[in-house]
Coordinates of all heavy atoms in Angstrom, one line a residue:
M104 N -26.4 -6.0 29.9 CA -25.9 -6.6 28.8 C -26.0 -5.6 27.6 O -26.9 -4.9 27.4 CB -26.8 -7.8 28.5 CG -26.3 -8.7 27.4 SD -27.1 -10.3 27.5 CE -26.2 -11.1 26.3
G105 N -24.9 -5.5 26.8 CA -24.8 -4.6 25.7 C -24.3 -3.2 26.1 O -24.1 -2.4 25.2
L106 N -24.2 -2.9 27.4 CA -23.8 -1.6 27.8 C -22.3 -1.3 27.4 O -22.0 -0.2 27.2 CB -24.0 -1.4 29.3 CG -25.4 -1.3 29.7 CD1 -25.5 -1.2 31.3 CD2 -26.1 -0.1 29.1
D107 N -21.6 -2.4 27.3 CA -20.2 -2.2 26.9 C -20.0 -1.5 25.5 O -19.1 -0.8 25.3 CB -19.5 -3.6 26.8 CG -18.0 -3.5 26.5 OD1 -17.3 -2.7 27.2 OD2 -17.5 -4.1 25.6
F108 N -21.0 -1.8 24.6 CA -20.9 -1.2 23.3 C -21.3 0.3 23.3 O -21.1 0.9 22.3 CB -21.8 -2.0 22.3 CG -21.2 -3.4 22.1 CD1 -21.9 -4.5 22.7 CD2 -20.0 -3.6 21.5 CE1 -21.4 -5.8 22.6 CE2 -19.5 -4.9 21.3 CZ -20.2 -6.0 21.9
L109 N -21.8 0.8 24.4 CA -22.1 2.2 24.5 C -20.9 3.0 24.9 O -20.9 4.2 24.8 CB -23.3 2.4 25.4 CG -24.6 1.8 25.0 CD1 -25.7 2.0 26.1 CD2 -25.1 2.4 23.7
E110 N -19.9 2.3 25.5 CA -18.7 3.0 25.9 C -17.9 3.5 24.7 O -18.0 2.9 23.6 CB -17.8 2.0 26.7 CG -18.5 1.4 27.9 CD -18.3 2.3 29.1 OE1 -17.4 3.1 29.2 OE2 -19.2 2.2 30.0
D111 N -17.1 4.5 24.9 CA -16.3 5.0 23.8 C -14.9 4.4 23.8 O -13.9 5.0 23.9 CB -16.2 6.5 23.9 CG -15.6 7.1 22.6 OD1 -15.6 6.5 21.5 OD2 -15.0 8.3 22.7
D112 N -14.9 3.0 23.7 CA -13.6 2.3 23.8 C -13.3 1.4 22.6 O -12.5 0.5 22.6 CB -13.6 1.4 25.1 CG -14.6 0.4 25.1 OD1 -15.5 0.3 24.1 OD2 -14.7 -0.5 26.0
G113 N -14.0 1.7 21.5 CA -13.8 0.9 20.3 C -14.8 -0.2 20.0 O -14.9 -0.7 18.9
G114 N -15.6 -0.5 21.0 CA -16.7 -1.5 20.9 C -16.3 -2.8 20.2 O -15.3 -3.4 20.6
L115 N -17.1 -3.2 19.3 CA -16.9 -4.5 18.7 C -15.6 -4.6 17.9 O -14.9 -5.6 17.9 CB -18.1 -4.8 17.7 CG -18.1 -6.2 17.1 CD1 -18.1 -7.3 18.2 CD2 -19.3 -6.4 16.2
D116 N -15.2 -3.5 17.2 CA -13.9 -3.5 16.5 C -12.7 -3.7 17.5 O -11.8 -4.4 17.1 CB -13.7 -2.2 15.8 CG -14.5 -2.1 14.5 OD1 -15.0 -3.1 14.0 OD2 -14.7 -0.9 14.1
A117 N -12.8 -3.2 18.7 CA -11.7 -3.4 19.7 C -11.7 -4.9 20.1 O -10.7 -5.4 20.3 CB -11.9 -2.5 20.9
I118 N -12.9 -5.5 20.3 CA -13.0 -6.9 20.7 C -12.4 -7.8 19.6 O -11.7 -8.7 19.8 CB -14.4 -7.2 21.0 CG1 -14.9 -6.5 22.3 CG2 -14.6 -8.7 21.2 CD1 -16.3 -6.6 22.6
R119 N -12.8 -7.5 18.3 CA -12.3 -8.3 17.2 C -10.9 -8.0 16.8 O -10.3 -8.7 16.1 CB -13.2 -8.0 16.0 CG -14.6 -8.6 16.1 CD -15.3 -8.4 14.8 NE -16.6 -9.0 14.7 CZ -17.4 -8.8 13.8 NH1 -17.1 -7.9 12.8 NH2 -18.6 -9.4 13.8
R120 N -10.4 -6.9 17.3 CA -9.0 -6.4 17.0 C -8.9 -6.2 15.5 O -7.9 -6.5 14.9 CB -8.0 -7.3 17.5 CG -8.0 -7.5 19.0 CD -6.9 -8.4 19.4 NE -7.1 -8.8 20.8 CZ -6.5 -8.2 21.8 NH1 -5.8 -7.1 21.7 NH2 -6.8 -8.7 23.0
T121 N -10.0 -5.6 14.9 CA -10.0 -5.3 13.5 C -9.2 -4.0 13.3 O -9.4 -3.0 14.0 CB -11.4 -5.1 13.0 OG1 -12.1 -6.3 13.2 CG2 -11.5 -4.7 11.5
V122 N -8.3 -4.0 12.3 CA -7.5 -2.8 11.9 C -7.8 -2.5 10.5 O -7.7 -3.4 9.6 CB -6.0 -3.1 12.2 CG1 -5.2 -1.9 11.7 CG2 -5.8 -3.4 13.6
I123 N -8.1 -1.3 10.2 CA -8.3 -0.9 8.8 C -7.2 0.1 8.5 O -7.0 1.1 9.2 CB -9.7 -0.2 8.6 CG1 -10.8 -1.2 8.9 CG2 -9.9 0.4 7.2 CD1 -12.2 -0.6 9.0
A124 N -6.5 -0.2 7.4 CA -5.5 0.7 7.0 C -5.8 1.3 5.6 O -6.2 0.6 4.7 CB -4.1 0.0 6.9
R125 N -5.7 2.6 5.5 CA -6.0 3.3 4.2 C -4.8 4.0 3.8 O -4.1 4.7 4.6 CB -7.2 4.2 4.4 CG -8.5 3.5 4.6 CD -9.7 4.5 4.5 NE -10.9 3.8 4.6 CZ -11.6 3.7 5.8 NH1 -11.1 4.2 6.9 NH2 -12.7 3.0 5.8
F126 N -4.4 3.9 2.5 CA -3.3 4.6 2.0 C -3.7 5.6 0.9 O -4.5 5.2 0.0 CB -2.3 3.6 1.4 CG -1.7 2.7 2.4 CD1 -2.2 1.4 2.5 CD2 -0.7 3.0 3.3 CE1 -1.7 0.5 3.5 CE2 -0.2 2.2 4.2 CZ -0.7 0.9 4.3
E127 N -3.2 6.8 1.0 CA -3.5 7.7 -0.1 C -2.7 7.4 -1.3 O -1.6 6.9 -1.2 CB -3.2 9.2 0.4 CG -4.0 9.6 1.5 CD -5.5 9.9 1.1 OE1 -5.7 10.3 0.0 OE2 -6.3 9.6 2.0
A128 N -3.2 7.6 -2.5 CA -2.5 7.3 -3.7 C -1.2 8.0 -3.8 O -0.2 7.4 -4.2 CB -3.4 7.6 -4.9
E129 N -1.1 9.2 -3.4 CA 0.1 10.0 -3.5 C 1.2 9.4 -2.5 O 2.4 9.4 -2.8 CB -0.1 11.5 -3.3 CG -0.8 12.1 -4.4 CD -0.2 11.8 -5.8 OE1 1.0 11.9 -6.0 OE2 -1.0 11.3 -6.7
T130 N 0.7 8.9 -1.4 CA 1.7 8.3 -0.4 C 2.2 7.0 -1.0 O 3.4 6.8 -1.0 CB 0.9 8.0 0.9 OG1 0.4 9.2 1.4 CG2 1.9 7.4 1.9
L131 N 1.4 6.2 -1.6 CA 1.8 5.0 -2.2 C 2.8 5.3 -3.4 O 3.8 4.6 -3.5 CB 0.6 4.2 -2.8 CG -0.2 3.4 -1.7 CD1 -1.4 2.8 -2.4 CD2 0.7 2.3 -1.0
R132 N 2.5 6.3 -4.2 CA 3.3 6.7 -5.3 C 4.7 7.1 -4.8 O 5.7 6.7 -5.3 CB 2.6 7.8 -6.1 CG 3.3 8.0 -7.4 CD 2.6 9.1 -8.2 NE 1.2 8.8 -8.4 CZ 0.7 8.2 -9.4 NH1 1.5 7.6 -10.3 NH2 -0.6 8.0 -9.6
A133 N 4.7 7.9 -3.7 CA 6.0 8.3 -3.1 C 6.8 7.2 -2.6 O 8.0 7.1 -2.8 CB 5.7 9.3 -2.0
V134 N 6.2 6.2 -2.0 CA 6.9 5.0 -1.5 C 7.5 4.2 -2.7 O 8.6 3.8 -2.6 CB 5.9 4.1 -0.6 CG1 6.6 2.7 -0.4 CG2 5.6 4.8 0.7
M135 N 6.7 4.0 -3.7 CA 7.2 3.3 -4.9 C 8.3 4.1 -5.5 O 9.3 3.4 -5.9 CB 6.0 3.2 -5.9 CG 5.0 2.2 -5.5 SD 3.7 2.1 -6.8 CE 2.3 1.6 -5.8
E136 N 8.2 5.4 -5.6 CA 9.3 6.2 -6.2 C 10.6 6.0 -5.4 O 11.7 5.9 -5.9 CB 8.9 7.6 -6.3 CG 7.9 7.9 -7.4 CD 7.4 9.4 -7.4 OE1 7.9 10.2 -6.6 OE2 6.5 9.7 -8.3
A137 N 10.4 6.1 -4.1 CA 11.6 6.0 -3.2 C 12.3 4.6 -3.4 O 13.5 4.5 -3.4 CB 11.2 6.2 -1.7
K138 N 11.4 3.6 -3.5 CA 12.0 2.2 -3.7 C 12.7 2.1 -5.0 O 13.8 1.5 -5.0 CB 10.8 1.2 -3.6 CG 11.2 -0.2 -3.4 CD 11.9 -0.5 -2.1 CE 12.2 -1.9 -1.9 NZ 13.0 -2.2 -0.7
I139 N 12.2 2.7 -6.0 CA 12.8 2.6 -7.3 C 14.2 3.4 -7.2 O 15.2 3.0 -7.7 CB 11.9 3.2 -8.4 CG1 10.8 2.3 -8.7 CG2 12.7 3.5 -9.7 CD1 9.7 2.9 -9.6
D140 N 14.1 4.6 -6.6 CA 15.4 5.4 -6.4 C 16.5 4.6 -5.7 O 17.7 4.8 -6.0 CB 15.1 6.7 -5.7 CG 14.4 7.7 -6.6 OD1 14.6 7.7 -7.8 OD2 13.7 8.6 -6.0
T141 N 16.1 3.8 -4.7 CA 17.2 3.1 -4.0 C 17.5 1.7 -4.5 O 18.4 1.1 -4.0 CB 16.7 3.0 -2.5 OG1 15.5 2.2 -2.5 CG2 16.5 4.3 -1.8
A142 N 16.8 1.3 -5.6 CA 17.0 0.0 -6.2 C 18.4 0.0 -6.9 O 18.8 1.1 -7.4 CB 15.9 -0.4 -7.1
E143 N 19.0 -1.1 -7.0 CA 20.3 -1.3 -7.7 C 20.0 -1.5 -9.2 O 20.4 -2.6 -9.7 CB 21.1 -2.4 -7.0 CG 21.5 -2.0 -5.6 CD 22.4 -3.0 -5.0 OE1 23.0 -3.9 -5.8 OE2 22.6 -3.0 -3.8
F144 N 19.4 -0.6 -9.9 CA 19.2 -0.6 -11.3 C 20.0 0.4 -12.0 O 20.3 1.5 -11.4 CB 17.7 -0.3 -11.6 CG 16.7 -1.3 -11.1 CD1 15.5 -0.9 -10.5 CD2 17.0 -2.7 -11.1 CE1 14.6 -1.8 -10.0 CE2 16.0 -3.6 -10.6 CZ 14.8 -3.1 -10.1
P145 N 20.3 0.3 -13.2 CA 21.0 1.3 -14.0 C 20.1 2.6 -14.0 O 18.8 2.4 -14.0 CB 21.2 0.7 -15.4 CG 21.0 -0.7 -15.2 CD 20.2 -1.0 -14.0
E146 N 20.6 3.7 -14.1 CA 19.8 5.0 -14.1 C 18.8 5.0 -15.3 O 17.7 5.5 -15.1 CB 20.8 6.2 -14.2 CG 21.5 6.5 -12.9 CD 20.6 6.8 -11.8 OE1 19.6 7.5 -11.9 OE2 20.8 6.2 -10.7
T147 N 19.2 4.4 -16.4 CA 18.2 4.4 -17.5 C 17.0 3.6 -17.2 O 15.8 4.0 -17.5 CB 18.9 3.8 -18.8 OG1 19.4 2.5 -18.5 CG2 20.0 4.7 -19.3
V148 N 17.1 2.5 -16.5 CA 16.0 1.7 -16.0 C 15.2 2.4 -15.0 O 13.9 2.4 -15.0 CB 16.5 0.3 -15.5 CG1 15.3 -0.5 -14.9 CG2 17.2 -0.5 -16.6
K149 N 15.9 3.1 -14.1 CA 15.1 3.9 -13.0 C 14.3 4.9 -13.7 O 13.1 5.1 -13.3 CB 16.1 4.5 -12.0 CG 16.8 3.5 -11.1 CD 17.7 4.2 -10.1 CE 18.4 3.3 -9.2 NZ 19.2 4.0 -8.2
K150 N 14.9 5.7 -14.6 CA 14.1 6.8 -15.3 C 12.9 6.2 -16.0 O 11.8 6.8 -16.0 CB 15.0 7.5 -16.2 CG 16.0 8.4 -15.5 CD 16.8 9.2 -16.5 CE 17.9 10.0 -15.8 NZ 18.7 10.8 -16.7
K151 N 13.1 5.1 -16.7 CA 11.9 4.5 -17.4 C 10.8 4.0 -16.4 O 9.7 4.3 -16.7 CB 12.5 3.2 -18.2 CG 11.5 2.6 -19.1 CD 12.1 1.5 -19.9 CE 11.2 1.0 -20.9 NZ 11.8 -0.1 -21.8
L152 N 11.2 3.4 -15.3 CA 10.2 3.0 -14.3 C 9.5 4.1 -13.7 O 8.3 4.1 -13.5 CB 10.9 2.1 -13.2 CG 11.4 0.7 -13.6 CD1 12.2 0.1 -12.5 CD2 10.2 -0.2 -14.0
L153 N 10.3 5.2 -13.3 CA 9.7 6.4 -12.7 C 8.7 7.0 -13.7 O 7.6 7.5 -13.3 CB 10.7 7.3 -12.2 CG 11.5 6.9 -11.0 CD1 12.7 7.8 -10.8 CD2 10.6 6.8 -9.8
G154 N 9.1 7.1 -15.0 CA 8.2 7.7 -16.0 C 6.9 6.9 -16.1 O 5.8 7.5 -16.2
R155 N 7.0 5.6 -16.1 CA 5.8 4.8 -16.2 C 4.9 4.9 -15.0 O 3.7 4.9 -15.1 CB 6.2 3.3 -16.4 CG 6.7 3.1 -17.8 CD 6.8 1.6 -18.1 NE 7.3 1.4 -19.5 CZ 7.6 0.2 -20.0 NH1 7.5 -0.8 -19.2 NH2 8.0 0.1 -21.2
L156 N 5.6 5.0 -13.8 CA 4.8 5.1 -12.6 C 4.1 6.4 -12.6 O 2.9 6.5 -12.2 CB 5.8 5.1 -11.4 CG 5.2 5.2 -10.0 CD1 4.1 4.2 -9.7 CD2 6.2 5.2 -8.9
K157 N 4.7 7.5 -13.0 CA 4.1 8.8 -13.1 C 2.9 8.9 -14.1 O 2.0 9.6 -13.9 CB 5.1 9.9 -13.4 CG 6.0 10.1 -12.2 CD 7.1 11.2 -12.5 CE 8.0 11.3 -11.3 NZ 9.0 12.3 -11.4
S158 N 3.0 8.0 -15.1 CA 1.9 8.0 -16.1 C 0.7 7.2 -15.7 O -0.3 7.4 -16.3 CB 2.5 7.5 -17.4 OG 2.7 6.1 -17.4
L159 N 0.8 6.4 -14.7 CA -0.3 5.6 -14.2 C -1.3 6.5 -13.5 O -1.0 7.3 -12.7 CB 0.2 4.5 -13.3 CG 1.0 3.4 -13.8 CD1 1.5 2.5 -12.7 CD2 0.3 2.6 -14.9
A160 N -2.6 6.2 -13.8 CA -3.6 6.9 -13.1 C -4.8 6.0 -12.9 O -4.9 5.0 -13.6 CB -4.1 8.1 -13.9
G161 N -5.6 6.3 -12.0 CA -6.9 5.6 -11.7 C -6.7 4.1 -11.5 O -6.0 3.7 -10.7
K162 N -7.5 3.4 -12.3 CA -7.5 1.9 -12.2 C -6.2 1.3 -12.4 O -5.8 0.3 -11.8 CB -8.6 1.3 -13.1 CG -10.0 1.6 -12.6 CD -11.0 0.9 -13.5 CE -12.4 1.2 -12.9 NZ -13.4 0.5 -13.7
A163 N -5.4 1.8 -13.4 CA -4.1 1.2 -13.7 C -3.2 1.3 -12.5 O -2.5 0.4 -12.1 CB -3.5 1.9 -14.9
F164 N -3.2 2.5 -11.8 CA -2.4 2.7 -10.6 C -2.9 1.7 -9.5 O -2.0 1.1 -8.8 CB -2.4 4.1 -10.1 CG -1.6 4.3 -8.9 CD1 -0.2 4.4 -9.0 CD2 -2.2 4.4 -7.7 CE1 0.5 4.6 -7.8 CE2 -1.5 4.6 -6.5 CZ -0.1 4.7 -6.6
N165 N -4.2 1.6 -9.3 CA -4.7 0.8 -8.3 C -4.3 -0.7 -8.5 O -4.0 -1.4 -7.6 CB -6.2 0.8 -8.3 CG -6.7 2.1 -7.7 OD1 -6.0 2.9 -7.1 ND2 -8.0 2.5 -7.9
E166 N -4.3 -1.1 -9.8 CA -3.9 -2.5 -10.1 C -2.5 -2.7 -9.8 O -2.1 -3.8 -9.2 CB -4.2 -2.7 -11.6 CG -4.0 -4.2 -12.0 CD -5.0 -5.2 -11.4 OE1 -6.1 -4.8 -11.1 OE2 -4.6 -6.3 -11.4
V167 N -1.6 -1.8 -10.2 CA -0.2 -2.0 -9.9 C 0.0 -2.0 -8.3 O 0.8 -2.8 -7.8 CB 0.7 -0.8 -10.5 CG1 2.1 -0.8 -10.0 CG2 0.7 -1.0 -12.0
A168 N -0.6 -1.1 -7.6 CA -0.4 -1.0 -6.2 C -0.9 -2.3 -5.5 O -0.3 -2.9 -4.6 CB -1.2 0.2 -5.6
W169 N -2.0 -2.9 -6.0 CA -2.6 -4.1 -5.5 C -1.6 -5.3 -5.7 O -1.3 -6.1 -4.8 CB -3.9 -4.4 -6.1 CG -4.6 -5.6 -5.6 CD1 -4.7 -6.8 -6.2 CD2 -5.1 -5.8 -4.3 NE1 -5.3 -7.8 -5.4 CE2 -5.6 -7.2 -4.2 CE3 -5.3 -5.0 -3.2 CZ2 -6.2 -7.7 -3.1 CZ3 -5.9 -5.5 -2.1 CH2 -6.3 -6.9 -2.0
K170 N -1.1 -5.4 -6.9 CA -0.1 -6.4 -7.3 C 1.1 -6.3 -6.4 O 1.7 -7.3 -6.0 CB 0.2 -6.4 -8.8 CG -0.9 -6.9 -9.6 CD -0.6 -7.0 -11.0 CE -1.8 -7.6 -11.8 NZ -1.5 -7.9 -13.2
L171 N 1.6 -5.1 -6.2 CA 2.8 -4.9 -5.3 C 2.5 -5.3 -3.9 O 3.3 -6.0 -3.2 CB 3.3 -3.5 -5.4 CG 4.0 -3.1 -6.7 CD1 4.2 -1.6 -6.7 CD2 5.3 -3.8 -6.9
L172 N 1.3 -5.0 -3.4 CA 1.0 -5.4 -2.1 C 0.9 -6.9 -2.0 O 1.4 -7.5 -1.0 CB -0.4 -4.8 -1.7 CG -1.0 -5.2 -0.3 CD1 0.0 -4.8 0.8 CD2 -2.3 -4.6 -0.2
M173 N 0.3 -7.6 -2.9 CA 0.2 -9.1 -2.9 C 1.6 -9.7 -2.9 O 1.9 -10.6 -2.2 CB -0.6 -9.6 -4.1 CG -2.1 -9.3 -4.0 SD -2.9 -10.0 -2.6 CE -3.0 -8.6 -1.5
K174 N 2.5 -9.1 -3.7 CA 3.9 -9.6 -3.8 C 4.6 -9.4 -2.4 O 5.3 -10.3 -1.9 CB 4.8 -8.9 -4.8 CG 4.4 -9.4 -6.2 CD 4.9 -10.7 -6.5 CE 4.7 -11.1 -7.9 NZ 5.1 -12.5 -8.1
A175 N 4.4 -8.3 -1.8 CA 5.0 -8.0 -0.5 C 4.4 -9.0 0.6 O 5.2 -9.5 1.5 CB 4.7 -6.6 0.0
L176 N 3.1 -9.3 0.5 CA 2.6 -10.3 1.5 C 3.1 -11.7 1.2 O 3.2 -12.5 2.2 CB 1.0 -10.2 1.4 CG 0.4 -8.9 1.9 CD1 -1.1 -8.9 1.6 CD2 0.7 -8.7 3.4
E177 N 3.3 -12.0 0.0 CA 3.9 -13.4 -0.3 C 5.3 -13.5 0.2 O 5.7 -14.6 0.5 CB 3.8 -13.6 -1.8 CG 2.5 -13.8 -2.4 CD 2.5 -13.8 -3.9 OE1 3.6 -13.8 -4.6 OE2 1.4 -13.8 -4.5
N178 N 6.1 -12.5 0.2 CA 7.5 -12.5 0.6 C 7.8 -11.3 1.5 O 8.5 -10.4 1.0 CB 8.3 -12.6 -0.7 CG 9.8 -12.9 -0.3 OD1 10.1 -13.2 0.8 ND2 10.6 -12.8 -1.3
P179 N 7.4 -11.3 2.7 CA 7.5 -10.1 3.6 C 9.0 -9.9 4.0 O 9.3 -8.8 4.4 CB 6.7 -10.5 4.8 CG 6.6 -11.9 4.8 CD 6.6 -12.4 3.4
N180 N 9.9 -10.8 3.8 CA 11.3 -10.6 4.2 C 12.2 -10.1 3.1 O 13.4 -9.9 3.2 CB 11.9 -11.9 4.7 CG 11.2 -12.4 6.0 OD1 10.8 -11.5 6.8 ND2 10.9 -13.6 6.1
A181 N 11.6 -9.8 1.9 CA 12.3 -9.3 0.8 C 12.7 -7.9 0.9 O 12.1 -7.1 1.5 CB 11.6 -9.6 -0.5

C-alpha cells in the first residue's frame, strides 16, 4: 500500500488529473498584441490599445490578464 506513489508516473497529481498551466508575462503580452493586431478596429484604436498594453507593468498587467482570462472562460466560443 502506498508503493504506487513511489513510482515516477505522476503520483497523486496523475490520479487527480490536476493540470497546472503557467504563462509568462511576455507570452501573454504577445498573445494580446496579436489579438489587437487582428481585431477589426480602426488603426488609431489599435495603436492606442497597443500603447496602453505596452505601458502596463506589474500588478496592472496581472489585473488586465486576469480579467481577460475570466471573460474568455465566460464565453469560450467568442
Side-chain angles (χ1 to χ4, degrees):
M104 189 164 187
L106 292 176
D107 183 51
F108 296 107
L109 297 176
E110 301 274 334
D111 191 22
D112 62 355
L115 188 56
D116 285 340
I118 292 170
R119 289 184 175 171
R120 299 183 194 266
T121 301
V122 176
I123 298 171
R125 291 188 177 96
F126 298 99
E127 296 292 326
E129 290 309 311
T130 303
L131 284 174
R132 191 178 306 272
V134 169
M135 290 179 205
E136 287 175 2
K138 193 68 174 173
I139 291 169
D140 281 338
T141 60
E143 293 184 17
F144 297 140
E146 286 301 315
T147 55
V148 173
K149 287 182 184 183
K150 285 181 183 182
K151 188 175 184 178
L152 288 171
L153 288 170
R155 287 189 178 175
L156 179 60
K157 288 179 183 181
S158 71
L159 291 175
K162 288 185 179 184
F164 179 77
N165 289 344
E166 186 67 23
V167 168
W169 182 254
K170 286 184 178 187
L171 288 171
L172 176 61
M173 291 298 100
K174 286 287 186 188
L176 292 173
E177 288 171 8
N178 190 6
N180 296 321

